[in-house]
Amino acid sequence: MVIVRKCSFCGKEYNQGYGMIYVQRSGSVLNFCSNKCKKSQLKLKRDPKKLKWSAKYERKIL
């Protein structure tokens, strides 16, 4: 049975056995599909709504 997880940063779904799990000091768990997502959220502190490659990207109507 395959467990499908969702990336905390980009929103992409991935299978168990791939990706990374990061546990913060507060006890909250963050799931990441790749090292790119992990660095973008934790080190670079980017907003996933502003990145075109993210599934959480929102288009603004002009």
Side-chain angles (χ1 to χ4, degrees):
M1 186 166 139
V2 179
I3 298 173
V4 178
R5 297 186 181 191
K6 194 170 186 180
C7 180
S8 299
F9 184 74
C10 70
K12 178 182 171 186
E13 292 183 350
Y14 64 95
N15 295 332
Q16 181 183 7
Y18 296 95
M20 294 170 242
I21 296 175
Y22 182 81
V23 181
Q24 295 180 330
R25 290 182 183 172
S26 62
S28 61
V29 178
L30 300 173
N31 295 310
F32 296 108
C33 61
S34 65
N35 198 29
K36 179 181 180 180
C37 290
K38 181 182 171 189
K39 284 183 182 179
S40 293
Q41 184 167 359
L42 300 176
K43 186 175 181 183
L44 302 175
K45 298 180 182 172
R46 291 181 175 161
D47 185 11
K49 293 178 185 176
K50 295 181 181 179
L51 300 173
K52 291 183 181 179
W53 56 266
S54 172
K56 295 181 179 180
Y57 177 72
E58 295 177 353
R59 293 187 178 222
K60 297 179 182 176
I61 300 172
L62 299 176

